[in-house]
Amino acid sequence: MPKTTLKRVHGYLAEFSGAGDIYHAAEKVRDAGFQRWDVHTPFPIHGLNEAMGVKRSILPWFVFFGGATGTITAFLLCYITQCIIYPTVVQAKPTNIFTTPAFFPIMFELTILLSAFTALFGSFALMGLPRFNHPLFAAKTFKKFSDDGFFLCIEARDPKFHQAETKAFLEGLGGRNIELVEDEL
Amino acid sequence: MSSHSITLDDLPRDGERLDLAKVSKLNGALLVVGIAGLAVSVLYLFGFLGAQKQAEFAYSWLFAFFFFFTLTNGGIFWTMLQHVSNSGWSVAVRRFFENLGANVKWMAVFALPFILIPGIRSALWEWIVEQQHAGSYEGLATAAKVNHHLAILVAKHGYLNITFWVVRAVFYFGFLIGIIGLLRKWSIQQDTDGDFKHTFRSRALCAFPMLIYALVVTFSAVDWVMALDYTWFSTMWGVYIFAGGAWGSMAFSIIALSYVRSQGYLKKTVSMEHYHVMGKFQLVFTIFWAYIAFSQFFLIWYANITEETRFYLLRNTGGWWWLSNALVWLHFVATFVILLSAGRKKTPNVMNWVCGWILLNHLVDIYWLIIPERAPSLTSGKIGEALGYHGEPLLWLSGAWVGDVAAFGGIGGICAWAYLRRLAKASLYPCKDPRLLESVSCTN
């Protein structure tokens, strides 16, 4: 395929010198009202969620209902097969609702299994994973984010994004090596 | 991390002292309840109300004693755990655990009737009656040839004999009083000298004795509660009691913390993050307790062996069935669902109600462990004969609940009163602990 020269602007990437700097920069970006932006740091920074104004994830609700589905599925599977379709008397135990303790291990396991699955795949879905590439990988300095670089990226799809003003804004926050990241189409 | 983060300069250098005058109303009320309860208890304990009432009250006393013993024990566990794991987050609230654990001195006093009053002792533990009746090990072995039920007591004689039983009780209290006494003493010494060595030696002290602590909790529960029926046994028993106690004591500590904060203390040192961490422990122990409780039930239910099923058969008969179900649906399911939410765990007002609920459920748990044994034990066997019962054992003795209330009020009132006074004796948090700042600014 011939390479096109068409490119789409992904956003501005700015580097900050440390955890404290990027924390305060995040607070200011939040207060400026940006929506589509993210912070990339080599290690988790306590309180950064609040500084970025990130809302609590909806994931716990997925996990709750995933787990509840597991409990109910396991119970029904056991109950229908052992008590209704083919009543199985084991050690003189009843074959009715009071057999439930025997189903507990399965209910327990399936609850955990489905909770774990919803937690894993739910977080993948919310993060937009898996994906083949990310525009930021094309940025010149971005590789440092997994070593000693603290990056803040304001994306072009943000309604408040402006080619000149956003750059000036990031410079005002103390951002260095500001780079316009472009995504090849 | 943020610009308004707390530094050590924001905290009072010598900590905060609870002013007893501020809480005198509550403290006075607790003392009155305690003394009134103890006064009534003394009438029961020494048999002034008759042998029948004394025997009934033995169970009341054990119930109240054991409830507060598990809470106290939990306080010791949480203190040791913070030291042994070198926890930074807990420094601001550690003194609540220390002071709760230090109540064990009082528990030793409240345990004296079990050893000193024969009427109380023999009403609770049939194995003591049988052994005293037989006179010696040989006598017991001879009696077992006629009454085959006694064979199990002959086999257990190496463990279940009065001398060893008393020696063990002394050791339990000696160990518990010693370890919490040292930890609390060093912690308070650090308040004045600020020496790091207290932190290190507390950690060193807790490492190996954690094992002894586990054994003490296990075997005290075996000696005093499991042995109510000497034929019954469960290897899950100790960890079951431990799980409930740690759960209840954390609930109590959260309530005490909220109460102290409502009086205007610890506003800077304790944050919602601490409530969140403690709430997480509550959730963990809700699950852990249920896991252990179910495992114990499950194995016995499945195996269906006569010696083992008696415990649950009794607790599934008559009105006790409702209480057994309350443990499943309220102690576990309801608490579990309530505690799932992080938001609720971070809201002190909600946590106070949840912790009250948890203490109530722990109370039901201990009641369910001890009180169902009362009527059948006192209306059958040698004790039943002495009290004039002949026929089928009863399931419920009417009027015995008065003693339960008196014993609970007596021991509980005195324990809570002593706890509040102890809180006021030193700073409300270890003000020179090297991890204090880490604790104050903890996030999770």
Side-chain angles (χ1 to χ4, degrees), chain B residues 323-391:
Chain B
L323 224 49
S324 301
N325 268 276
L327 286 180
V328 177
W329 298 106
L330 306 181
H331 195 296
F332 170 60
V333 177
T335 320
F336 172 71
V337 174
I338 295 170
L339 281 173
L340 273 180
S341 147
R344 281 195 278 272
K345 281 180 285 211
K346 281 182 179 175
T347 318
N349 269 335
V350 176
M351 278 311 282
N352 294 342
W353 284 103
V354 174
C355 289
W357 166 257
I358 286 175
L359 281 178
L360 180 70
N361 275 295
H362 183 53
L363 185 77
V364 170
D365 182 24
I366 302 293
Y367 188 82
W368 176 86
L369 289 176
I370 292 170
I371 300 299
E373 297 286 344
R374 173 159 59 194
S377 297
L378 295 183
T379 55
S380 65
K382 291 198 172 57
I383 309 162
E385 276 171 34
L387 294 174
Y389 288 99
H390 297 290

Side-chain angles (χ1 to χ4, degrees), chain B residues 22-182:
Chain B
K22 261 189 169 177
V23 296
S24 59
K25 237 183 207 172
L26 176 68
N27 215 19
L30 288 171
L31 185 62
V32 169
V33 170
I35 289 179
L38 284 189
V40 178
S41 299
V42 164
L43 294 181
Y44 277 110
L45 278 174
F46 291 98
F48 295 122
L49 300 172
Q52 165 85 24
K53 286 285 166 200
Q54 186 191 29
E56 286 172 10
F57 186 75
Y59 287 83
S60 310
W61 190 255
L62 181 65
F63 151 67
F65 164 80
F66 201 67
F67 175 74
F68 290 103
F69 180 73
T70 53
L71 289 193
T72 309
N73 251 347
I76 298 175
F77 164 71
W78 289 116
T79 313
M80 291 178 78
L81 183 71
Q82 306 317 322
H83 284 302
V84 86
S85 60
N86 191 16
S87 289
W89 74 271
S90 62
V91 171
V93 295
R94 201 182 66 219
R95 205 142 276 172
F96 289 88
F97 307 141
E98 286 171 5
N99 287 319
L100 179 59
N103 252 2
V104 73
K105 284 177 280 198
W106 286 92
M107 298 322 300
V109 174
F110 292 132
L112 287 177
F114 298 127
I115 291 177
L116 299 181
I117 307 175
I120 294 292
R121 196 165 68 186
S122 50
L124 286 170
W125 295 292
E126 280 142 271
W127 65 268
I128 296 185
V129 179
E130 294 291 354
Q131 280 189 2
Q132 284 178 335
H133 186 77
S136 62
Y137 176 74
E138 286 73 25
L140 196 65
T142 319
K145 288 197 179 99
V146 184
N147 179 359
H148 296 298
H149 291 295
L150 289 178
I152 200 160
L153 194 53
V154 176
K156 289 181 179 180
H157 190 272
Y159 184 80
L160 279 185
N161 62 75
I162 293 185
T163 319
F164 192 26
W165 182 75
V166 172
V167 168
R168 284 197 303 267
V170 171
F171 173 75
Y172 302 151
F173 281 112
F175 171 77
L176 294 173
I177 292 172
I179 194 141
I180 194 67
L182 276 180

Side-chain angles (χ1 to χ4, degrees), chain A residues 123-167:
Chain A
S123 59
F124 275 6
L126 291 175
M127 289 187 290
L129 288 175
R131 56 186 297 162
F132 295 115
N133 193 17
H134 194 279
L136 280 179
F137 293 153
K140 292 184 202 79
T141 51
F142 189 66
K143 276 198 180 110
K144 282 168 73 185
F145 87 92
S146 65
D147 178 21
D148 60 351
F150 298 81
F151 293 97
L152 196 156
C153 174
I154 299 180
E155 293 176 24
R157 55 185 173 147
D158 190 295
K160 297 197 75 176
F161 185 85
H162 186 280
Q163 188 148 15
E165 281 173 18
T166 305
K167 187 175 186 195

Side-chain angles (χ1 to χ4, degrees), chain A residues 168-184:
Chain A
F169 175 65
L170 285 171
E171 275 168 351
L173 294 178
R176 293 177 287 115
N177 302 331
I178 296 177
E179 183 182 347
L180 188 70
V181 183
E182 288 174 317
D183 191 13
E184 279 185 30

Side-chain angles (χ1 to χ4, degrees), chain B residues 14 246 304 422:
Chain B
D14 296 311
N304 215 1
R422 198 173 302 112

